[in-house]
Amino acid sequence: IYPCTVAKKPFLPLAAHIPLNTDYSPTFEITYAFEVVGVLLGAWAGVNTDGLLIGFIIFICAQLTLLNDSLEHLREHSMDVTDANEDASRGVLDEKMKATLIDCINQHGQISEFKKEVSSIFGTITLSQFMVSVLTLCTNLFELTTVSELNVQLFALLFYMMFLLTEIYCMCYFGNEIILKSFQLTNSAYHSDWPNCSLDFKKNLIVFMTRSHIDMKYLAGNLFPLSLETFVKIIKSSVSYFTVLNQLGDSSEYETRNNL
């Protein structure tokens, strides 16, 4: 809607090569509507793609939460209703706990494989998106410095920056939750009421604790993990590039004035 708010003659929202003369009606209106619909469809596709990725990451977080609960309450989950009301045989309960632990180990392996598959599909896309986001935030900040009055363009730039930061933050936040919840697995396994269990159960538990000690991370392009630390680095990089770009703009303007 910004081109329609300009006092002079309205122009097309996107700078593109149009094989038609858009100076007259209704060619201008048709082209304007075509570009608006194209922008909306592109935005809708981008939101759905990012929403799908964030949904997968949230699903991994939910599975890790359930796994932590199963490990921390391993004895309770191994008891039947009758076992909870009666004194179950220690041997029978130990076998059930061992079977439940094996299920937890298999679940952890399936979560890890699912995370690797999602990372292999979306990793390169996430990496390219973060690189573009750094440049976009940098140029957006520079454009904000060129706006001298309150108008639709200023609010459009502010809203666009807010939406872009929200999108990146959601990915980094839930990616950071994967790291925290996977790191919590070792502690949850340690609180599984293991002192009275058999030696085989303790060996299996040690193997799982050793395996789960490695943090589960969603890597963007196999280069850096999605975490809050990564989000801070993206903001710092954008501000640094903006500072350099702003200094180059000031120096070129100063040289132009001296030449005049």
Side-chain angles (χ1 to χ4, degrees):
I1 64 175
Y2 170 68
C4 296
T5 62
V6 181
K8 298 179 181 180
K9 182 180 179 181
F11 53 89
L12 295 176
L14 296 178
H17 173 70
I18 306 297
L20 299 172
N21 189 358
T22 59
D23 294 334
Y24 303 99
S25 181
T27 308
F28 176 80
E29 289 77 6
I30 295 175
T31 307
Y32 197 101
F34 176 79
E35 290 191 352
V36 170
V37 172
V39 170
L40 292 178
L41 289 178
W44 181 256
V47 169
N48 282 312
T49 303
D50 298 333
L52 179 63
L53 173 59
I54 294 174
F56 282 146
I57 297 176
I58 293 175
F59 176 76
I60 296 174
C61 293
Q63 290 296 321
L64 290 174
T65 302
L66 294 175
L67 183 57
N68 276 292
D69 181 76
S70 298
L71 290 170
E72 192 170 353
H73 303 90
L74 192 63
R75 182 178 293 274
E76 291 84 349
H77 290 301
S78 302
M79 289 182 177
D80 297 332
V81 178
T82 55
D83 295 334
N85 297 328
E86 302 175 3
D87 294 333
S89 173
R90 177 175 296 181
V92 175
L93 181 59
D94 187 77
E95 291 296 327
K96 290 183 179 180
M97 291 182 64
K98 187 188 300 184
T100 306
L101 178 61
I102 293 176
D103 292 339
C104 292
I105 294 175
N106 294 331
Q107 182 182 1
H108 179 262
Q110 293 174 0
I111 296 173
S112 179
E113 290 298 324
F114 180 77
K115 188 268 304 178
K116 291 180 181 178
E117 185 174 359
V118 173
S119 180
S120 64
I121 296 174
F122 293 93
T124 305
I125 299 175
T126 307
L127 177 62
S128 60
Q129 183 177 8
F130 279 10
M131 295 175 62
V132 172
S133 297
V134 171
L135 298 177
T136 305
L137 288 173
C138 170
T139 54
N140 207 36
L141 287 173
F142 184 76
E143 288 185 6
L144 282 174
T145 59
T146 61
V147 179
S148 59
E149 58 182 7
L150 290 176
N151 52 24
V152 179
Q153 184 183 14
L154 175 62
F155 289 104
L157 292 173
L158 290 176
F159 277 115
Y160 181 71
M161 180 178 293
M162 182 183 66
F163 293 148
L164 186 61
L165 290 175
T166 303
E167 175 190 15
I168 301 174
Y169 178 77
C170 288
M171 293 183 182
C172 294
Y173 173 80
F174 290 110
N176 191 74
E177 287 295 307
I178 292 179
I179 299 175
L180 296 179
K181 292 184 183 299
S182 63
F183 183 76
Q184 188 182 352
L185 290 174
T186 305
N187 187 53
S188 298
Y190 181 78
H191 290 83
S192 60
D193 196 8
W194 54 266
N196 296 325
C197 296
S198 63
L199 183 61
D200 292 338
F201 177 86
K202 295 177 182 179
K203 290 181 179 179
N204 293 332
L205 188 64
I206 291 176
V207 172
F208 175 77
M209 292 174 66
T210 304
R211 180 181 177 184
S212 63
H213 189 68
I214 303 175
D215 295 338
M216 188 181 298
K217 300 177 181 179
Y218 177 89
L219 298 177
N222 294 324
L223 292 179
F224 56 87
L226 292 186
S227 61
L228 295 179
E229 183 180 358
T230 302
F231 178 76
V232 174
K233 290 181 179 179
I234 291 175
I235 301 300
K236 288 183 178 180
S237 300
S238 301
V239 174
S240 300
Y241 294 146
F242 161 72
T243 303
V244 174
L245 186 62
N246 195 27
Q247 289 177 353
L248 291 176
D250 293 340
S251 61
S252 61
E253 183 179 357
Y254 178 75
E255 292 178 357
T256 303
R257 290 179 179 177
N258 289 336
N259 293 331
L260 293 176

